[in-house]
Amino acid sequence: MKNSIFFTLYIFMYLGLSVYIDYFILTDLVYYEFYSDKFSESRVYELLDFRKEWLWVTYPIKLLIQLIALQIPAMLIYLGLYLAKYEISYRKVFGVVLISEFIFFIPLLIKIIWFSFHPVSMESVRLFAPLSLFSLFDAESLQEWLFYPFKVLNVFEVVYWILMAFLLAKYLKSSLDAMLKIVLGYYVSFLFCWVVFVMFISLGNS
Amino acid sequence: MRMKYLFPSLLVGFVAIGAWIGFSRYTTKQELQSTYSSIPSIMLTSTDGDSVNLKTEGDSAPSVLIYFNSSCPICQSEAELIQSKFRKDTLTRFLWVSSESVEEVKNFAAHYSLDSLDTHRFYSDTLFRLASAFRLTGVPATFVYDDEGNLVDYALGAVSMSDLTLSIQKAHDRSR
C-alpha cells in the first residue's frame, strides 16, 4: 500500500478517536466535576460553553503537532541509516514510522473500551496507562516526576521499536538485528534523553 | 569520525539543557518559598480606614492570605467558593488583600457576603506593598500559614478547594 493511503487512514483514525474521547468519554459532566473544585458554578458553565464552541479548533492543531512529532522518529532513523551507509529515501522511512505508529491506537482503543464501562474522572483518565510500568504501581505511592517515564515505558512502545526495525529490515533486505541497532541507537537513545529532559523539568516543578 | 560523535554530543547537550532548566525552576521555586515563608510585616488599610500590620493580623490563628482583585474572574470564583465552603469555619482567619481602594474592597466583600463573617478580614493595599514584598505579578495568590505565621502551602492562580481544605487542615495540625 502507498504511503498516502496509510497517511489518510492515520489522520482519520487519529481524528476519529480524539473526537470520540472528547465527546463521549470526557463529557461536560466530567469537566464540570473537575472544574467545580476550582471555579464557581457560573464560571464552570462559561468554561464549558467555551469548550463547546472552540473544541473543533484543537483538532487541526493537535493533528499538526502529531504530524510534526511523527517526523522526529523518521528523521532520527533516517540519520542512523544515512550514517550507517544504507540507501533509503526519507519518504520510505517516514512510511515505516507511519505504519508503526498505528500501534499507538491500541492503547487509545483500550482507554475508550475501559472508560465505556468504568466511571470517568479527569484524574482517572490522567492516570490510565494500560500495559505500562506505571500501571504496575499505585499512583499515590509514586512521585509526580516519575509519572511520565513510567507511562512511556509500555508494551506498545517496545512493539513500536521492534515493528519499525522489522519493516526497515524488510525494505532494506537487511537483518532485524542491524535495524534494531539503528532504532535503538538513534530513536530509543533520543527517547531516553527526552524522558530524562522531561523528568528534570518535572523535578524542577516538584 | 566527527559525525559519529555528533549525535551523542547533541543528546548529551539536550539532557544538559533539561537539567539546567529543571535546576533553574527548582531554585526559583525555593527562592519563592523562602520569600513566602512568613506573613510580611507591612502596613495596610482595613475596611474601617485604620492602618494595620498584616503580620499582627495573621498572628495566633491559622490564616489564609489571599491577594485578589475585584475585577478578576478567578478571584470572584474563589470568593464564591470560599464563602460556600468555609463560611462555618470559625477557626481559620481569611485575610483578603487587594491593591484597590477601600471602597472597592468593601463592595467586593459585601457582594460575596463575606463582610458579615468575623473570620474574614479585608484590606486595601494601594501602595502594592504585598505585591512587592512577595514579588507577585498576578492575582489570585493564596497562602496558607499556621498560627505562628509559618508557610504551610501556597498557590498562584486558581486554587482547588480540596487542596485548600487539605492545606488548612495541615495548618491546624501544625498549630496544635
Side-chain angles (χ1 to χ4, degrees):
Chain A
M1 268 207 278
K2 278 185 175 177
N3 271 4
S4 56
I5 299 172
F6 281 115
F7 190 69
T8 314
L9 189 65
Y10 183 86
I11 290 174
F12 270 101
M13 281 190 75
Y14 182 80
L15 288 178
L17 291 175
S18 300
V19 169
Y20 189 89
I21 289 173
D22 282 339
Y23 284 91
F24 297 99
I25 305 289
L26 296 172
T27 57
D28 280 359
L29 185 67
V30 177
Y31 274 96
Y32 180 84
E33 280 171 2
F34 177 71
Y35 283 126
S36 59
D37 193 36
K38 277 190 173 181
F39 303 107
S40 62
E41 200 172 272
S42 55
R43 187 67 50 198
V44 176
Y45 284 123
E46 275 178 37
L47 285 170
L48 290 177
D49 285 342
F50 182 82
R51 179 179 182 258
K52 204 173 277 175
E53 199 177 338
W54 292 103
L55 187 60
W56 66 273
V57 178
T58 62
Y59 298 117
I61 297 169
K62 267 160 83 174
L63 186 65
L64 185 72
I65 292 170
Q66 186 64 20
L67 293 179
I68 294 169
L70 275 179
Q71 306 299 325
I72 296 170
M75 283 194 286
L76 291 167
I77 289 167
Y78 181 73
L79 176 73
L81 292 169
Y82 174 79
L83 292 178
K85 307 226 180 325
Y86 283 97
E87 292 265 329
I88 190 170
S89 66
Y90 180 77
R91 203 183 157 83
K92 271 197 175 165
V93 176
F94 180 72
V96 165
V97 170
L98 187 67
I99 294 167
S100 311
E101 280 279 333
F102 277 83
I103 203 82
F104 292 121
F105 287 131
I106 298 173
L108 278 183
L109 284 167
I110 296 174
K111 186 188 258 185
I112 288 172
I113 295 166
W114 178 268
F115 285 113
S116 299
F117 299 100
H118 289 85
V120 189
S121 70
M122 290 298 261
E123 195 60 4
S124 61
V125 172
R126 189 174 80 97
L127 299 179
F128 188 75
L131 298 177
S132 67
L133 190 59
F134 184 77
S135 64
L136 301 177
F137 292 89
D138 176 21
E140 281 182 13
S141 67
L142 280 179
Q143 299 266 4
E144 189 87 18
W145 60 273
L146 283 172
F147 281 23
Y148 183 68
F150 278 29
K151 277 182 183 176
V152 167
L153 201 60
N154 61 64
V155 171
F156 307 104
E157 186 65 50
V158 178
V159 174
Y160 175 66
W161 306 340
I162 297 169
L163 189 61
M164 274 198 294
F166 173 77
L167 292 174
L168 284 172
K170 211 178 131 200
Y171 271 124
L172 291 166
K173 295 186 175 56
S174 176
S175 69
L176 183 65
D177 245 24
M179 290 304 109
L180 264 177
K181 270 183 196 159
I182 300 276
V183 172
L184 291 174
Y186 287 85
Y187 172 65
V188 180
S189 58
F190 171 80
L191 183 69
F192 174 77
C193 292
W194 169 251
V195 168
V196 174
F197 180 87
V198 174
M199 265 168 59
F200 275 132
I201 294 185
S202 318
L203 260 171
N205 289 337
S206 64
Chain B
M1 197 63 180
R2 269 188 205 162
M3 288 295 276
K4 197 180 165 186
Y5 295 110
L6 183 65
F7 186 65
S9 314
L10 284 174
L11 290 184
V12 171
F14 183 57
V15 171
I17 291 170
W20 180 72
I21 295 172
F23 182 71
S24 339
R25 279 175 169 234
Y26 179 75
T27 48
T28 309
K29 208 170 172 183
Q30 292 293 107
E31 269 173 37
L32 282 180
Q33 238 160 7
S34 79
T35 308
Y36 305 151
S37 63
S38 60
I39 301 178
S41 179
I42 50 171
M43 298 308 285
L44 306 172
T45 313
S46 74
T47 45
D48 301 326
D50 301 330
S51 195
V52 293
N53 188 320
L54 184 64
K55 196 171 181 66
T56 320
E57 293 292 290
D59 264 356
S60 71
S63 319
V64 180
L65 171 62
I66 304 155
Y67 184 58
F68 75 101
N69 187 294
S70 63
S71 61
C72 143
I74 302 174
C75 308
Q76 293 163 359
S77 267
E78 193 167 324
E80 208 175 316
L81 289 176
I82 286 178
Q83 200 273 349
S84 66
K85 303 251 179 194
F86 299 101
R87 65 174 306 149
K88 287 180 184 160
D89 182 350
T90 53
L91 301 170
T92 314
R93 205 169 288 159
F94 290 84
L95 310 169
W96 297 78
V97 181
S98 170
S99 301
E100 296 165 300
S101 68
V102 172
E103 208 51 45
E104 283 169 301
V105 170
K106 266 185 177 175
N107 288 342
F108 182 84
H111 184 80
Y112 293 100
S113 313
L114 291 165
D115 52 348
S116 54
L117 301 172
D118 289 341
T119 48
H120 291 258
R121 297 172 187 180
F122 285 81
Y123 308 97
S124 163
D125 176 28
T126 49
L127 294 174
F128 295 90
R129 285 181 173 129
L130 181 63
S132 59
F134 273 4
R135 288 188 280 156
L136 297 171
T137 51
V139 283
T142 311
F143 309 88
V144 180
Y145 293 94
D146 64 15
D147 63 346
E148 287 176 1
N150 300 315
L151 182 73
V152 174
D153 217 341
Y154 74 90
L156 303 177
V159 65
S160 104
M161 286 304 116
S162 44
D163 287 348
L164 185 60
T165 309
L166 277 176
S167 303
I168 290 174
Q169 188 56 52
K170 223 191 280 179
H172 282 283
D173 291 346
R174 273 199 205 173
S175 304
R176 268 176 206 149

